[in-house]
């Protein structure tokens, strides 16, 4: 056989394999609904070699190419993987009408491919010890059975989820301590950037739902206390802070503290009637510069970290029961998620949080907006508002996200 003949024979064999792989893919989809050989309605899994389903076969104009393709399909039939329906009008075994699945496992073995149902079954065994604590893994398996990606992971990409679980387990016992992300990643995986690689799976585990809108990576890491460098708590207000073994006044315009060293806070009598947390640095500087004497302003640094939350709780304990608590952030999903975390801190201290400047209908006309709110983000914002009783903000929510820096600074009344 000449080199040219080899190429022609290879073309026919490759086309047969392509048809068998496509049949296997249909079998994998059917297996997510019932036995591998049938779909949910009990119909057999087939692939017509027709213009609609597999036009490549009809475009084999050379008799030799089609003959090689047919022979390769018959080899799969001989292995018990498929049966072939021939077009009797074209002559004896000259033209294939359709191929019909007989045994999905044998077809996969014939092709040398691990079928999706085996891949997912193995993943299910590997997830078994973790499903109770992380029910989201059940959704992951179900999506994989259908051949879908979940948070960027393909069927059988178990390592990403197991590694993400290891990260959660490492963060949990550290309470309010900040953790150097690259150092933790290197100690857990001998790869300083592995945690950053699996963050989409980690986010799904933290949220407990893989279908929720994905967090920003930096917000997720802050929530877990994973930091590239320790955060600084920026505070403006008439307060004395026990900082390590010293008392430091939060003099104007503001002072920065390491949250982990902040021990207690004493607020001057008659001051500290309202505490405002601010999401973005530009707005914090503006609010600190025009701060009324009775107000305290704290910068969250985006999503508050565990060490920030611990320090914030110290301020909450120092405030009079009549003091009001406000938060001002972006009118977007990230902004409302940050507000929700701060509201939980307040709830744990028996207090409630009000939102400031986060009513979309109060934004001045002409304010620059960055993007439209996706319907899924809008739904989640409404869930957050319902959880914390922020009815006015929910009612005012529009279709556009508004960055805090685009809004004029103003104080809660």
């Amino acid at each position: 056989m000449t080199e040219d003949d080899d190429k022609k024979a290879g073309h026919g064999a490759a086309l047969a394999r392509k048809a068998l792989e496509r049949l296997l893919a249909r079998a994998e989809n059917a297996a997510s609904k019932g036995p591998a050989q049938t779909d949910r309605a009990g119909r057999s899994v087939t692939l017509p070699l027709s213009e609609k389903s597999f036009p490549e076969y009809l475009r084999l104009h050379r008799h030799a190419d089609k003959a090689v393709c047919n022979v390769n399909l018959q080899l799969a039939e001989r292995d018990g993987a498929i049966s072939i329906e021939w077009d009797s009008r074209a002559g004896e075994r000259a033209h294939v009408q359709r191929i019909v699945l007989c045994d999905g496992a044998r077809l996969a073995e014939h092709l040398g491919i691990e079928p999706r149902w085996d891949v997912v079954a193995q993943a299910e065994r590997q997830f078994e010890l973790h499903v109770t604590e992380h029910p989201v893994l059940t959704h992951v398996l179900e999506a994989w059975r259908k051949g879908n990606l979940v948070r960027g992971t393909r069927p059988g990409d178990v390592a990403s989820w197991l590694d993400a679980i290891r990260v959660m387990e490492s963060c949990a016992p550290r309470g309010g301590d900040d953790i150097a992300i690259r150092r933790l990643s290197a100690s857990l995986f001998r790869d300083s950037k592995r945690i950053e690689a699996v963050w989409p799976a980690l986010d799904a585990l933290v949220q407990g739902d893989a279908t929720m809108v994905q967090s920003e990576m930096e917000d997720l890491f802050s929530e877990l206390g994973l930091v590239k460098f320790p955060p600084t708590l920026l505070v403006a207000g008439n307060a004395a802070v026990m900082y390590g073994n010293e008392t430091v006044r939060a003099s104007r315009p503001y002072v920065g503290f390491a949250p982990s060293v902040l021990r207690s806070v004493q607020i001057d009598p008659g001051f500290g009637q309202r505490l405002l947390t601010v999401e973005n640095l530009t707005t914090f500087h503006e609010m600190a510069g025009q701060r009324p004497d009775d107000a305290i302003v704290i910068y969250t640094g985006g999503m508050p970290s565990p060490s920030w939350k611990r320090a914030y709780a110290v301020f909450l304990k120092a405030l009079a029961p009549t003091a009001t608590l406000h938060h001002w952030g972006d009118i977007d999903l990230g902004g409302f998620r940050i507000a929700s975390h701060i509201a939980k801190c307040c709830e744990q201290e028996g207090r409630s949080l009000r939102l400031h400047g986060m009513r979309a209908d109060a934004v001045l006309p002409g304010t620059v907006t960055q993007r439209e709110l996706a319907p899924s983000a809008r739904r989640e914002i409404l869930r957050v508002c319902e959880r914390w009783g922020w009815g006015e903000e929910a009612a005012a929510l529009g279709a556009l996200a508004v960055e805090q820096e685009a809004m004029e600074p103003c104080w809660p009344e």
Side-chain angles (χ1 to χ4, degrees), residues 237-238 252 267 270-275 291-296 319 323 411:
N238 291 308
R252 288 186 183 273
I267 298 173
F271 298 98
Q273 296 303 306
R274 44 186 166 161
L275 189 156
R291 177 183 61 81
D293 287 340
D294 69 342
I296 296 173
L319 290 171
W411 277 91

Side-chain angles (χ1 to χ4, degrees), residues 275 312 316 319 323-327 346 351-355:
L275 189 156
Y312 179 66
L316 294 182
L319 290 171
T324 57
L325 309 175
H326 303 266
H327 173 73
C346 295
R351 295 174 176 267
S352 60
L353 181 71
R354 305 176 189 177
L355 298 185

Side-chain angles (χ1 to χ4, degrees), residues 161-182:
W161 294 90
L162 294 183
D163 287 353
I165 290 171
R166 288 185 67 188
V167 174
M168 285 191 70
E169 291 174 345
S170 296
C171 293
R174 306 195 187 203
D177 295 332
D178 295 318
I179 308 163
I181 184 171
R182 295 281 174 89

Side-chain angles (χ1 to χ4, degrees), residues 58-370:
L58 301 181
R59 295 185 185 126
L60 286 172
H61 299 302
R62 287 173 46 84
H63 174 75
D65 291 339
K66 181 177 284 189
V68 170
C69 180
N70 291 349
V71 166
N72 279 271
L73 292 176
Q74 289 177 79
L75 291 175
E77 185 177 44
R78 187 189 64 184
D79 285 347
I82 67 169
S83 63
I84 301 174
E85 294 182 5
W86 299 94
D87 185 350
S88 59
R89 298 168 297 179
E92 182 67 22
R93 298 194 175 191
H95 184 85
V96 178
Q97 278 192 321
R98 73 178 66 238
I99 53 177
V100 181
L101 183 70
C102 293
D103 190 313
R106 289 188 180 184
L107 176 58
E109 184 179 358
H110 176 83
L111 292 170
I113 295 174
E114 186 176 17
R116 195 194 309 148
W117 54 80
D118 283 350
V119 170
V120 176
Q122 183 178 358
E124 192 169 15
R125 291 190 292 271
Q126 291 176 280
F127 284 163
E128 187 175 4
L129 295 176
H130 306 284
V131 169
T132 301
E133 187 173 357
H134 302 287
V136 67
L137 295 175
T138 302
H139 168 81
V140 174
L141 292 169
E142 190 57 36
W144 282 354
R145 285 189 185 95
K146 298 174 182 177
N148 297 332
L149 300 181
V150 184
R151 293 298 177 98
T153 61
R154 300 180 178 278
D157 188 7
V158 173
S160 292
W161 294 90
L162 294 183
D163 287 353
I165 290 171
R166 288 185 67 188
V167 174
M168 285 191 70
E169 291 174 345
S170 296
C171 293
R174 306 195 187 203
D177 295 332
D178 295 318
I179 308 163
I181 184 171
R182 295 281 174 89
R183 189 176 299 281
L184 177 64
S185 188
S187 66
L188 288 178
F189 309 114
R190 298 185 179 180
D191 179 349
S192 64
K193 297 182 180 179
R194 178 59 177 166
I195 294 177
E196 290 158 273
V198 302
W199 79 269
L202 181 59
D203 178 57
L205 292 169
V206 170
Q207 293 198 56
D209 189 342
T211 65
M212 298 284 276
V213 179
Q214 195 162 287
S215 303
E216 295 293 332
M217 181 171 67
E218 295 301 328
D219 287 349
L220 169 68
F221 291 158
S222 292
E223 183 177 346
L224 292 170
L226 297 168
V227 298
K228 291 184 178 179
F229 48 85
T232 301
L233 184 77
L234 300 181
V235 179
N238 291 308
V241 176
M242 180 58 69
Y243 190 55
N245 296 320
E246 299 181 37
T247 299
V248 179
R249 292 201 65 80
S251 55
R252 288 186 183 273
Y254 60 86
V255 175
F257 299 98
S260 59
V261 188
L262 192 149
R263 298 287 177 256
S264 64
V265 174
Q266 183 175 352
I267 298 173
D268 296 344
F271 298 98
Q273 296 303 306
R274 44 186 166 161
L275 189 156
L276 173 68
T277 50
V278 176
E279 176 182 343
N280 295 294
L281 187 57
T282 297
T283 306
F284 169 79
H285 282 289
E286 293 171 335
M287 302 303 284
Q290 55 181 255
R291 177 183 61 81
D293 287 340
D294 69 342
I296 296 173
V297 191
I298 301 179
Y299 171 53
T300 73
M303 179 65 73
S305 69
S307 66
W308 186 97
K309 293 176 186 177
R310 185 171 61 186
Y312 179 66
V314 174
F315 275 88
L316 294 182
K317 289 179 172 68
L319 290 171
T322 55
T324 57
L325 309 175
H326 303 266
H327 173 73
W328 187 11
D330 296 336
I331 303 176
D332 63 10
L333 180 53
F336 277 90
R337 280 178 171 171
I338 290 169
S340 181
H341 279 274
I342 298 173
K344 188 171 184 180
C345 294
C346 295
E347 183 182 60
Q348 290 169 348
E349 297 299 326
R351 295 174 176 267
S352 60
L353 181 71
R354 305 176 189 177
L355 298 185
H356 169 64
M358 296 179 70
R359 279 181 47 185
D361 62 353
V363 176
L364 294 175
T367 300
V368 177
T369 54
Q370 298 297 312

